[in-house]
Amino acid sequence: MKFDWLIIGAGYSACVLAERIATQMEQRVLIVEKRSHIGGNAYDYYNEHGHLVHKYGPHIFHTKSKPVWRYLSQFTDWRPYYHHVLAVVEGKKVPLPFNLNTLYALFPPRYAEKLEALLLENFGFGKKVPILQLKERQQTDLAFLADYIYDNVFLRYTQKQWDLKPEELDSGVTARVPIYISRDNRYFQDPYQAMPKHGYTAMFQRMIAHPLIKVLLNTNYKEIIDTVSFDRAVCTGPIDEFFDFSHGEMPYRSIDFRFETLNQESFQEVGTVNYPNDYDITRITEQKYLTGQVSPKTTIIREFPQAYIPGRNDPYYPIPKAENRDRLSLYLKEAKKLNGSVLFAGRLGDYKYYNMDQAVTRALGVFEKEIARQPLLI
């Protein structure tokens, strides 16, 4: 069969690009996916207890981008949801990101007041200050606070999640866990925060429900590459795998997700509880908070970070380090040699640590600038 486009992978980037190409250019698209489902790591499904669960860990949608919000709203209704996270620090569950309320939960009131005054004086209300930036301050009490947060909230969690020290990672990762000089306990402050009313999978199904889009699941694109005719391709899978690891493997982190359904109405106080210091897990998420379902039972997900081993587990997180950027640059040079016949996008295709809305922004940008070559109206 003849197609205009072959798209490798069926996650966010792939589905957005397929939808745009089919609806805006009326061209035929073949999506080829190794897994048994669409949606990539945002895939969700109903388990045997009727609970809507996220197979690859919690995916909380939030964005500052009105165009991204409007685009996705074509394919789903939304359930407003503000995600709250607690972290277990010295045996107490306290708000995360570390904020002014966290100060008062952990320190004596008078000392918490002193720290609050210093933070307001040095940074101002409503500011988000990366922990490593706070550590640069010479003031004694702020230095203490920085060390306390670094040791009790940031260091061990980062070591478990990445198997690296925070200083070994790019600043963009460390900036994701700041101290927030506010009393806002929401984990995100973006103006658009919600969950797809019927789940992510239903949203993706509507996105690619088009007669010009065909999907092949449980298929490695290399198995059919010589039997399918197409003009151009988009790779949203690992860029190093596409080039047969000619410059070596790009490293990733993986996660072992362990699900358990409990015969009780609830398990914890909020959607996610982080364990930066205790146990081998990084966090536990209770799905009912995310979905809003009512049930006498509840399903939780425990996360155990682990090394990525090709063929044994899945690559989830590109590891943002200088040496990995150097290797990536070699693959990007290989991509340029293809003269646009194959485009790369997504977390694995770009080897970048995208949030969901960033993946959508990137895919829309690829369509506008490299495929349609005209501004989008959303």
Side-chain angles (χ1 to χ4, degrees):
M1 187 177 292
K2 174 69 170 66
F3 293 90
D4 298 292
W5 289 86
L6 169 69
I7 297 182
I8 301 166
Y12 255 106
S13 302
C15 290
V16 169
L17 284 166
E19 185 277 331
R20 291 284 88 185
I21 291 169
T23 62
Q24 304 303 304
M25 301 179 68
E26 297 184 346
Q27 294 182 354
R28 295 185 62 86
V29 180
L30 173 63
I31 297 175
V32 181
E33 168 59 54
K34 280 184 179 181
R35 292 170 170 172
S36 61
H37 58 76
I38 63 172
N41 291 344
Y43 169 74
D44 52 17
Y45 66 98
Y46 289 91
N47 67 11
E48 64 272 25
H49 303 283
H51 299 159
L52 182 61
V53 298
H54 295 181
K55 181 176 176 64
Y56 305 100
H59 283 68
I60 317 300
F61 189 81
H62 60 98
T63 186
K64 295 180 175 68
S65 171
K66 188 173 183 178
V68 167
W69 177 259
R70 291 178 61 186
Y71 173 75
L72 292 178
S73 295
Q74 298 175 88
F75 312 108
T76 185
D77 294 324
W78 299 96
R79 185 181 77 85
Y81 173 72
Y82 295 114
H83 194 48
H84 288 81
V85 177
L86 298 176
V88 178
V89 178
E90 296 184 333
K92 299 178 181 178
K93 292 181 179 178
V94 299
L96 197 71
F98 201 105
N99 62 25
L100 297 180
N101 293 327
T102 317
L103 286 180
Y104 286 87
L106 289 171
F107 302 122
R110 293 188 63 181
Y111 190 53
E113 289 176 7
K114 181 179 181 180
L115 292 172
E116 177 181 8
L118 287 169
L119 289 169
L120 292 170
E121 178 183 342
N122 281 268
F123 301 103
F125 187 79
K127 300 295 183 180
K128 292 185 176 181
V129 184
I131 302 302
L132 296 184
Q133 180 181 331
L134 187 63
K135 281 175 69 68
E136 296 170 358
R137 293 287 166 146
Q138 299 300 312
Q139 207 279 343
T140 302
D141 290 300
L142 288 182
F144 160 78
L145 178 61
D147 288 339
Y148 182 91
I149 298 173
Y150 181 86
D151 291 338
N152 290 281
V153 178
F154 196 52
L155 175 60
R156 295 178 184 87
Y157 189 95
T158 301
Q159 289 175 324
K160 284 193 285 187
Q161 180 77 0
W162 298 98
D163 195 28
L164 294 168
K165 292 182 179 180
E167 294 84 351
E168 298 178 270
L169 294 164
D170 285 353
S171 60
V173 176
T174 58
R176 292 169 70 94
V177 189
I179 178 169
Y180 185 27
I181 307 174
S182 168
R183 293 190 178 277
D184 185 348
N185 283 339
R186 296 176 303 168
Y187 196 72
F188 307 108
Q189 283 71 46
D190 295 344
Y192 302 102
Q193 300 186 50
M195 301 295 289
K197 188 173 182 179
H198 302 291
Y200 288 101
T201 301
M203 180 181 74
F204 291 123
Q205 288 171 338
R206 292 187 64 183
M207 192 180 295
I208 60 175
H210 193 283
L212 293 178
I213 299 175
K214 179 177 176 61
V215 181
L216 280 180
L217 301 177
N218 300 303
T219 304
N220 186 322
Y221 78 94
K222 292 184 178 181
E223 298 172 355
I224 55 94
I225 196 76
D226 295 327
T227 63
V228 175
S229 175
F230 59 93
D231 296 327
R232 298 177 71 188
V234 179
C235 176
T236 68
I239 189 171
D240 55 340
E241 181 180 337
F242 182 87
F243 290 108
D244 296 318
F245 308 105
S246 56
H247 298 291
E249 295 181 3
M250 300 297 299
Y252 296 89
R253 289 292 285 172
S254 187
I255 300 176
D256 177 16
F257 298 103
R258 301 183 189 178
F259 294 79
E260 183 179 4
T261 297
L262 305 171
N263 193 25
Q264 58 195 66
E265 191 167 348
S266 64
F267 176 76
Q268 57 194 27
E269 303 89 335
V270 294
T272 296
V273 176
N274 285 12
Y275 293 83
N277 306 302
D278 306 310
Y279 313 110
D280 293 330
I281 59 175
T282 49
R283 60 183 179 177
I284 298 176
T285 297
E286 187 168 359
Q287 289 284 173
K288 285 166 61 176
Y289 284 96
L290 280 56
T291 63
Q293 290 181 285
V294 177
S295 170
K297 298 183 178 182
T298 192
T299 297
I300 61 173
I301 312 173
R302 293 182 173 91
E303 298 185 32
F304 296 80
Q306 58 187 8
Y308 167 58
I309 303 174
R312 291 181 56 183
N313 53 18
D314 293 313
Y316 293 122
Y317 297 109
I319 301 175
K321 292 178 61 180
E323 63 191 67
N324 297 338
R325 288 199 305 272
D326 293 339
R327 179 170 293 174
L328 176 63
S329 68
L330 299 176
Y331 284 114
L332 294 178
K333 289 178 182 178
E334 298 291 344
K336 284 186 178 180
K337 295 177 184 177
L338 300 176
N339 296 317
S341 61
V342 181
L343 304 175
F344 294 84
R347 232 185 219 196
L348 303 181
D350 288 335
Y351 197 76
K352 288 187 178 178
Y353 188 30
Y354 291 135
N355 289 331
M356 289 184 288
D357 65 324
Q358 293 171 325
V360 174
T361 298
R362 166 65 172 154
L364 292 175
V366 168
F367 178 77
E368 176 182 349
K369 297 173 184 176
E370 302 185 55
I371 297 176
R373 294 188 173 90
Q374 62 185 15
L376 296 181
L377 298 176
I378 300 175

